[in-house]
Amino acid sequence: MSNPQQLRYSKEHEWLTAAEDGVSTVGITEHAANALGDVVFVQLPEVGDGVTAGETCGELESTKSVSDLYSPVTGEITEINEDVVNDPSLVNSAPFEGGWLFKVRVADEPADLLTAAEYDAHIAG
């Protein structure tokens, strides 16, 4: 498993792109997708919703369990990935590409986001 170096990661297993024009893309990591098992349902925040770093903003349901989705940053949702809503398996098959979850206009990025190397150490225990 290789976590892309250019992303930042939360301890709750979300990833975040660098902001482009103030907007970042968010998804869950391959580690989280594998732990969840086959994702069969995705509940995402709606465009215009405000999200707060570290707080629940959605839900992922798999054949194994239901897991909360946490926002890694504070901001406003600008787009959701309709492809994932229609085909939740994208979260498993392409967690860092087509399986992204939402885009957020970042108002505040917490200082405790991890680099890829730090996230690797975090999941290694």
Side-chain angles (χ1 to χ4, degrees):
M1 179 177 347
S2 178
N3 293 302
Q5 298 295 311
Q6 74 276 17
L7 301 177
R8 293 292 170 255
Y9 301 85
S10 74
K11 291 181 179 176
E12 290 80 24
H13 310 288
E14 285 80 26
W15 57 260
L16 175 79
T17 63
E20 188 173 312
D21 294 327
V23 176
S24 291
T25 302
V26 174
I28 67 165
T29 64
E30 185 175 3
H31 173 80
N34 289 340
L36 275 171
D38 295 334
V39 176
V40 295
F41 177 77
V42 176
Q43 177 193 356
L44 300 174
E46 295 184 20
V47 171
D49 283 355
V51 292
T52 302
E55 293 192 7
T56 303
C57 64
E59 197 172 82
L60 301 171
E61 184 177 328
S62 72
T63 54
K64 290 182 180 179
S65 66
V66 175
S67 180
D68 286 333
L69 174 64
Y70 297 91
S71 180
V73 294
T74 298
E76 180 182 333
I77 301 300
T78 62
E79 183 180 346
I80 63 165
N81 187 348
E82 291 290 346
D83 291 340
V84 164
V85 172
N86 296 326
D87 182 5
S89 70
L90 288 171
V91 172
N92 298 103
S93 63
F96 296 112
E97 296 89 25
W100 63 273
L101 300 175
F102 60 86
K103 295 187 180 189
V104 58
R105 181 166 307 284
V106 179
D108 184 47
E109 186 174 306
D112 64 350
L113 291 176
L114 308 173
T115 65
E118 291 167 335
Y119 181 73
D120 289 341
H122 172 68
I123 60 177

